[in-house]
């Protein structure tokens, strides 16, 4: 449990560290991965970065499809929870700004 989460981006590195440790252990002959939600995404990202050569099997349940979908769902949930009485500006924010914000964040990360 940390203060921030990266939706699998940095967690895949944690998984790689554990897998490296286990493959170095002579008592471990195979590694299987199970992930639910963000854990499933973490396993997929790990596999996409070479982990598919390490893991013998993966059981993945309910991974998210895309970061854009996760952000849109999180924003919708926040709007609903906060309500107009707490933050009227949030409820007025058009959903069209979400993809624009995600694109800006991606550009800043790539730079």
């Amino acid at each position: 449990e940390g203060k921030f989460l990266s939706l699998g981006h940095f967690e895949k590195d944690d998984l790689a560290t554990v897998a490296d440790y286990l493959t170095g252990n002579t008592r471990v002959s195979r590694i299987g991965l199970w992930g639910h939600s963000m854990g499933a995404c973490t396993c997929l990202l790990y596999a996409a970065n070479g982990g598919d050569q390490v893991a013998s099997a993966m059981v993945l349940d309910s991974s998210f499809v895309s970061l854009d979908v996760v952000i849109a769902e999180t924003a919708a949930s926040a709007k609903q929870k906060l309500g107009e009485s707490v933050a009227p500006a949030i409820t007025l924010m058009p959903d069209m700004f979400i993809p624009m914000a995600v694109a800006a964040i991606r550009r800043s990360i790539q730079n």
Side-chain angles (χ1 to χ4, degrees), residues 30-108:
R30 293 186 193 162
I31 297 173
L33 303 175
W34 174 81
H36 172 75
S37 190
M38 189 179 76
C41 180
T42 299
C43 291
L44 288 170
L45 291 170
Y46 171 69
N49 287 287
D52 59 333
Q53 302 299 312
V54 178
S56 298
M58 293 192 293
V59 177
L60 308 176
D61 179 30
S62 303
S63 178
F64 51 85
V65 176
S66 75
L67 183 58
D68 294 353
V69 171
V70 171
I71 291 171
E73 289 174 354
T74 302
S77 175
K79 281 184 188 181
Q80 187 177 22
K81 286 180 184 175
L82 291 175
E84 285 192 44
S85 62
V86 177
I90 275 192
T91 59
L92 297 174
M93 183 179 81
D95 291 337
M96 68 180 210
F97 288 129
I98 294 171
M100 294 166 55
V102 170
I105 292 167
R106 281 191 177 130
R107 280 193 303 276
S108 72

